[in-house]
Amino acid sequence: MTQIQNLIASTPASKVDPIGLQVLQRYPAPNRVTSNNANNFSRLAVEPDDQDQLDARVDRNFGSNHRVFGRYSYSHDDDNPVTPLPDGSGSLTSGVIGHALTRGDQAIGEYDWGISPTTLSQARFGYTRRDLNQTSLPNGGITIQGVPSTPFSSVLPIFNVTGFQQIGPTSAANARFTTSVTEFLDTFSMVKGRHTIKFGIDLRREALDVLQPPNPTGSYTFTAMSNGSALASLLLGQVNAFTIDVQGRKLQERAHIVEAFAGDEWKVSNRLTLNLGTRYTLNFPSTEVSHQGSVFNLNSQLLEFPSTARDLECCDFGPRAGAALRVSDTFVARAGYGMVWFEQSGITTPFTLPQFPFIQTLGLQSPDNIAPAFLLSSGPSVQVVAPSPNAALGQGAFASQRNNGSGYSQQWNFTLQKTFRSNLNLEVGYLGSKNTRLGLPEANLNQLPAADLALGTALLQKVPNPFFGHIPASSSLGGTTITQQQLLRAYPRFTNIALFRDNVANSTFDAFEAKLEQRFSHGLTFTFAYTFSKLMDDASTYFSQAIFSGPVLTTIGVADAFNRHLERDLSTGDIPRVFSAGWVYDIPRLWKISGWQIGGLVRVQAGDRVPVTQATNNLSNLGFAVQRPNRIGDPNDFANRSASEWFNIADFAGVGQFNIGNSSRNPIRGPGLQEADLMIGKTFRITERFRCEFRTEAFNVTNTPPLNDPSGSFGTAAFGTIASAGNPRDFEFAVKLHF
């Protein structure tokens, strides 16, 4: 019998929760034998992806000084991903996360006016639109009483069972949204002596219409709690934590950006060229068409309903400077510096207005991680509230730091280039960057201060609730008693309080690069490149522009909201060593297979960094987003590395209920990548006007799929194991007709 069958058979029928049993029976039987019962089910299936594309283009010259260009592009994509479990359940972390029907439209128009032989005006207009209709398990067949109605009420809820694959769709997998960017760019160029001067203006309007509550029918979390087994908690219906996102209608966000720029390429001499310029960026704070937005006032502890959540900035200038010195005919030195401003929220999105209570995240949490928040078959006791200054009572809300500036990136480089013979180039250089005010996962300002953890079990003692009768009874804070720890928080009448899209993260990047390149000669061209780098940051995962739920604790949060230094670590994007090589060879006519072209690509790189957190967050009821284990050794120093144990799991130890672990954010180095691609092709002349080009390509020609990252969920059977890999060998054939 399987573990689930044994559990069902050994549990008295009177204690079994009927909905918990129904969910439990959706797990398939194991089809793999593993030493620790981790990753004991595998699935191989084909992911259908149908794509259609259409492009139309018009070019027209009016005399010698006027040119008009226009292009329209259309695309349609029907992609249905393969889920971890046969019923469509499971967490997807990359690619599309549901059955996605995507339509894309793009229109571009350009007018070039040659005012004189040395003066050019170029005006360009562009419009890009993307529509997505995405569904996942839209008819789940499980309905739980007490759950508020949403536009996706028939979707299967999410059931998170610690140590097991989730039942239900990936969060935010059901969505309907449209995003568009409208841009007008006008550039004026002129040559005067040794100066080439450019200046212009760039106007952009960004729009997002979205209906995408992340968990429209609820997310139920089951942990070991008092019975010692997360599966047993599910069977008994003992819910540890519950959240649901309720959105009644589409949100319609709008943002406007104005940029002006000027630059001068100055040929000081035949050996020295300077590039000087600046770009001014004006980010207008985003708005919502129907005024669906609010900001929590940290002082009055009331909701306010402004049209924007940020202040307009006035002085975002981005200077740029570059120099190129030709030391000799075969030796050149280059250096440069530039500053680039991006969106107010830190790269990913310009939208900064919180949408609570127009989309509400309602939740219940076990008061002590021992007693359940409620029984599954009884359903949660949550209630949607109407927009008002007191709508956040007993819930979470977003505040905003109005004067927090836009994010910006500073980049600098120094490069030496040397030519040997006539076709061989060697380039070595240093590249650095510093990003400031990056977006980060929202930190809970209403977390219990870490110093108070020393009070231990006294934090969980029940005391009379001074807010009884003032907080809705449906809230977890609305009862006659409340835990002592809640009264020690900064905002005791609320669950979680966060600064919305609080872009205060930073990153630094340093890299040494070397490249050897041979230009096409004697039928051969090749490039070899090597990069040695280091990327540090304090937030590797940024928020999604399509998620507007209330502040809830997530596994990508911080270990201590009031100690950001704990987050500083090598980034999950840190890949310290990368080697790549590419070559193309035209087979000479002397050979019997003359006229064919053969080429290849090779890439070898180190792995990225992997975060580690405890599967059971013993601090979640105290407002801590994640809890990391203690690290007692170097887990990467491991001789017997394999997919079943990629790092030494014995170098981690669990942390109890009132402690913060000492592990860094990303302590593990994941698997590297070794990949080779091969291409062969030939062009056949059919007639004087028609040529046919044939090409075949083999990707990952050695058929060695790269391993994905190991599980960093401490406390589960899968901890340290690798359960999936990248694509195997893939062939592509292409034919192109030239006429």
Side-chain angles (χ1 to χ4, degrees):
M1 297 177 68
T2 67
Q3 180 181 3
I4 293 177
Q5 290 173 330
N6 284 328
L7 177 63
I8 296 174
S10 61
T11 303
S14 60
K15 293 186 177 181
V16 172
D17 186 282
I19 297 180
L21 177 61
Q22 189 178 353
V23 174
L24 200 59
Q25 290 174 334
R26 295 182 76 106
Y27 280 109
N31 58 13
R32 295 178 68 237
V33 177
T34 59
S35 58
N36 57 359
N37 286 326
N39 306 319
N40 59 5
F41 179 81
S42 65
R43 184 175 183 228
L44 182 65
V46 176
E47 178 174 321
D49 186 3
D50 296 326
Q51 298 182 5
D52 298 293
Q53 295 181 347
L54 171 69
D55 293 285
R57 172 172 173 153
V58 175
D59 289 274
R60 178 65 188 271
N61 293 327
F62 297 91
S64 59
N65 296 330
H66 301 275
R67 173 180 172 270
V68 175
F69 155 74
R71 187 184 71 203
Y72 170 74
S73 300
Y74 163 85
S75 65
H76 182 268
D77 187 5
D78 184 348
D79 194 353
N80 197 1
V82 176
T83 56
L85 301 182
D87 74 335
S89 292
S91 176
L92 297 172
T93 58
S94 62
V96 296
I97 56 177
H99 184 192
L101 299 175
T102 307
R103 170 174 173 165
D105 296 271
Q106 184 182 65
I108 296 175
E110 182 180 306
Y111 169 57
D112 298 335
W113 176 24
I115 302 173
S116 72
T118 60
T119 308
L120 174 67
S121 175
Q122 184 182 69
R124 171 173 285 217
F125 171 83
Y127 175 76
T128 303
R129 174 186 171 115
R130 177 171 172 260
D131 296 282
L132 172 68
N133 188 345
Q134 183 172 268
T135 58
S136 180
L137 294 170
N139 299 297
I142 293 179
T143 302
I144 299 173
Q145 65 179 3
V147 174
S149 177
T150 72
F152 301 99
S153 291
S154 62
V155 169
L156 182 69
I158 298 174
F159 301 92
N160 292 299
V161 184
T162 300
F164 294 84
Q165 184 61 255
Q166 72 181 43
I167 296 295
T170 301
S171 180
N174 290 272
R176 295 194 292 269
F177 74 75
T178 299
T179 181
S180 66
V181 178
T182 305
E183 181 175 18
F184 174 76
L185 174 65
D186 193 8
T187 304
F188 186 85
S189 307
M190 59 185 299
V191 178
K192 292 187 73 70
R194 291 181 173 269
H195 297 268
T196 300
I197 301 170
K198 289 186 177 182
F199 58 89
I201 190 169
D202 187 355
L203 310 176
R204 297 193 301 278
R205 174 187 181 271
E206 300 188 32
L208 175 65
D209 297 349
V210 58
L211 181 66
Q212 189 182 21
N215 302 309
T217 50
S219 174
Y220 302 80
T221 299
F222 299 87
T223 62
M225 301 184 71
S226 61
N227 53 58
S229 166
L231 279 178
S233 294
L234 172 60
L235 183 60
L236 300 176
Q238 297 177 344
V239 180
N240 174 267
F242 164 78
T243 62
I244 184 172
D245 302 295
V246 182
Q247 181 181 0
R249 60 174 179 166
K250 276 190 177 182
L251 299 167
Q252 297 177 291
E253 300 237 58
R254 302 292 183 265
H256 298 82
I257 301 171
V258 175
E259 292 188 301
F261 56 90
D264 179 15
E265 181 180 308
W266 177 21
K267 294 185 177 180
V268 180
S269 67
N270 292 335
R271 293 187 177 273
L272 177 63
T273 300
L274 299 179
N275 283 276
L276 304 172
T278 189
R279 191 177 188 95
Y280 174 70
T281 301
L282 186 62
N283 285 315
F284 288 88
S286 67
T287 60
E288 206 279 334
V289 172
S290 302
H291 304 289
Q292 296 184 90
S294 73
V295 175
F296 182 78
N297 188 313
L298 295 174
N299 296 318
S300 67
Q301 299 188 20
L302 297 173
L303 287 179
E304 298 174 348
F305 297 85
S307 59
T308 66
R310 295 287 185 96
D311 294 332
L312 179 65
E313 303 168 53
C314 68
C315 304
D316 292 350
F317 286 94
R320 298 144 191 238
L325 176 63
R326 183 164 59 88
V327 180
S328 69
D329 290 342
T330 61
F331 186 33
V332 177
R334 304 178 189 273
Y337 169 85
M339 177 186 288
V340 179
W341 292 85
F342 35 77
E343 283 87 349
Q344 282 192 327
S345 60
I347 293 183
T348 53
T349 172
F351 306 121
T352 55
L353 180 65
Q355 273 70 53
F356 176 87
F358 303 96
I359 174 170
Q360 296 183 28
T361 298
L362 310 174
L364 295 172
Q365 167 74 48
S366 166
D368 53 11
N369 283 330
I370 298 175
F374 60 91
L375 295 179
L376 188 59
S377 57
S378 300
S381 58
V382 294
Q383 184 176 353
V384 179
V385 297
S388 72
N390 284 310
L393 281 175
Q395 298 193 51
F398 280 116
S400 177
Q401 185 178 344
R402 293 196 65 94
N403 60 355
N404 193 10
S406 298
Y408 61 92
S409 175
Q410 300 177 81
Q411 302 175 9
W412 53 90
N413 64 78
F414 177 73
T415 305
L416 299 175
Q417 295 175 309
K418 174 68 175 177
T419 299
F420 299 92
R421 299 196 298 263
S422 59
N423 300 307
L424 192 64
N425 295 328
L426 175 65
E427 178 180 316
V428 295
Y430 163 77
L431 172 66
S433 69
K434 183 180 187 302
N435 293 329
T436 305
R437 298 192 194 131
L438 294 174
L440 49 73
E442 287 85 1
N444 182 15
L445 301 181
N446 207 29
Q447 167 202 295
L448 183 76
D452 289 338
L453 293 175
L455 296 175
T457 56
L459 294 169
L460 306 180
Q461 291 179 358
K462 293 291 186 70
V463 296
N465 187 355
F467 312 116
F468 177 68
H470 299 280
I471 295 177
S474 60
S475 168
S476 59
L477 307 180
T480 57
T481 61
I482 198 169
T483 55
Q484 180 65 45
Q485 60 88 15
Q486 184 66 32
L487 299 180
L488 297 177
R489 300 196 191 191
Y491 308 96
R493 297 182 300 159
F494 306 88
T495 54
N496 305 315
I497 300 294
L499 294 175
F500 187 63
R501 295 188 167 165
D502 188 28
N503 54 308
V504 295
N506 300 278
S507 72
T508 57
F509 177 74
D510 296 280
F512 168 79
E513 299 178 320
K515 183 170 70 172
L516 182 65
E517 179 180 15
Q518 175 170 297
R519 293 191 293 267
F520 189 77
S521 176
H522 299 92
L524 176 66
T525 179
F526 63 77
T527 300
F528 297 95
Y530 177 78
T531 301
F532 178 75
S533 64
K534 183 178 183 180
L535 175 59
M536 298 283 295
D537 63 27
D538 51 14
S540 303
T541 305
Y542 309 120
F543 38 70
S544 165
Q545 71 169 11
I547 296 176
F548 299 89
S549 62
V552 295
L553 303 182
T554 68
T555 57
I556 61 173
V558 297
D560 183 354
F562 306 117
N563 187 1
R564 299 278 323 160
H565 295 293
L566 296 178
E567 306 307 303
R568 188 71 177 175
D569 200 3
L570 288 170
S571 171
T572 54
D574 177 65
I575 302 176
R577 296 174 301 278
V578 178
F579 171 79
S580 62
W583 54 276
V584 176
Y585 180 60
D586 286 346
I587 299 176
R589 296 182 178 276
L590 300 177
W591 296 15
K592 293 183 179 180
I593 56 172
S594 65
W596 289 83
Q597 186 180 72
I598 188 171
L601 294 172
V602 173
R603 186 177 181 90
V604 180
Q605 68 182 45
D608 57 8
R609 302 294 288 194
V610 180
V612 171
T613 59
Q614 288 196 169
T616 299
N617 178 4
N618 297 304
L619 298 175
S620 61
N621 61 316
L622 306 178
F624 290 78
V626 298
Q627 187 179 31
R628 299 184 183 120
N630 284 325
R631 195 176 72 183
I632 57 179
D634 182 4
N636 296 296
D637 186 14
F638 190 50
N640 301 317
R641 177 169 291 176
S642 67
S644 60
E645 188 174 358
W646 183 255
F647 55 87
N648 190 358
I649 61 176
D651 283 325
F652 292 94
V655 179
Q657 190 168 13
F658 304 105
N659 294 282
I660 297 176
N662 66 14
S663 176
S664 60
R665 183 165 53 96
N666 303 316
I668 303 301
R669 178 71 66 184
L673 171 69
Q674 302 86 37
E675 189 170 77
D677 305 328
L678 188 65
M679 178 277 297
I680 186 169
K682 184 175 182 178
T683 299
F684 301 89
R685 183 172 296 278
I686 302 174
T687 66
E688 186 173 342
R689 292 185 56 193
F690 290 88
R691 291 177 295 117
C692 180
E693 179 183 353
F694 169 78
R695 179 184 294 246
T696 181
E697 296 175 331
F699 301 97
N700 189 10
V701 67
T702 59
N703 199 27
T704 52
L707 296 175
N708 291 332
D709 285 336
S711 168
S713 183
F714 176 83
T716 66
F719 182 56
T721 67
I722 297 177
S724 60
N727 293 327
R729 182 166 49 219
D730 187 18
F731 290 97
E732 181 176 282
F733 299 92
V735 176
K736 182 185 291 186
L737 184 64
H738 300 266
F739 59 93

